[in-house]
C-alpha cells in the first residue's frame, strides 16, 4: 500500500486542517507529515489509516496509483 502525497495535502487543505493539527491528531511531528506530503517519506499502513480517520475520508482516497484491489487486501491483512 502506497500513500498518494498530493491526495493527503489536497484533502487536508480542503478540510481546512493545518498540517500541524493533522500531525498532532495522528501522533507524528509536523516535519514527518511534511515529508509524507512531499513524497520524501513513505507512510506505513497504520499511519495511512490514522490519516484517513483524522481527515474523515475513505482510506482508498489517500492511496497512490496502485491496484486498488491489492491495496484493499493489504489493509485488511494488517
Amino acid at each position: 500500500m502506497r500513500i498518494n502525497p498530493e491526495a493527503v495535502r489536497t484533502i487536508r487543505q480542503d478540510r481546512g486542517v493545518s498540517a500541524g493539527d493533522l500531525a498532532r491528531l495522528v501522533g507524528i511531528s509536523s516535519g514527518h507529515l511534511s515529508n509524507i506530503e512531499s513524497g520524501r517519506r513513505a507512510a506505513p499502513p497504520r499511519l495511512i489509516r490514522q490519516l484517513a480517520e483524522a481527515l474523515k475520508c475513505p482510506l482508498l482516497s489517500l492511496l497512490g496509483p496502485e491496484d486498488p484491489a491489492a491495496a484493499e487486501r493489504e489493509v485488511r491483512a494488517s
Side-chain angles (χ1 to χ4, degrees):
M1 173 170 28
R2 192 173 135 203
I3 199 161
N4 179 337
E6 295 82 22
V8 176
R9 183 181 311 107
T10 300
I11 293 169
R12 177 182 58 74
Q13 290 172 341
D14 288 349
R15 301 277 195 275
V17 178
S18 74
D21 287 343
L22 179 58
R24 277 188 293 282
L25 284 169
V26 298
I28 61 174
S29 70
S30 55
H32 187 159
L33 180 61
S34 176
N35 285 333
I36 290 169
E37 287 187 348
S38 67
R40 291 187 300 261
R41 188 163 194 178
R46 180 183 56 81
L47 180 55
I48 297 171
R49 280 194 299 274
Q50 290 174 317
L51 288 166
E53 289 172 11
L55 292 169
K56 296 176 177 58
C57 68
L59 176 71
L60 293 178
S61 67
L62 297 182
L63 298 183
E66 292 183 277
D67 173 19
E72 185 65 26
R73 285 191 301 274
E74 187 172 336
V75 168
R76 288 184 184 155
S78 60

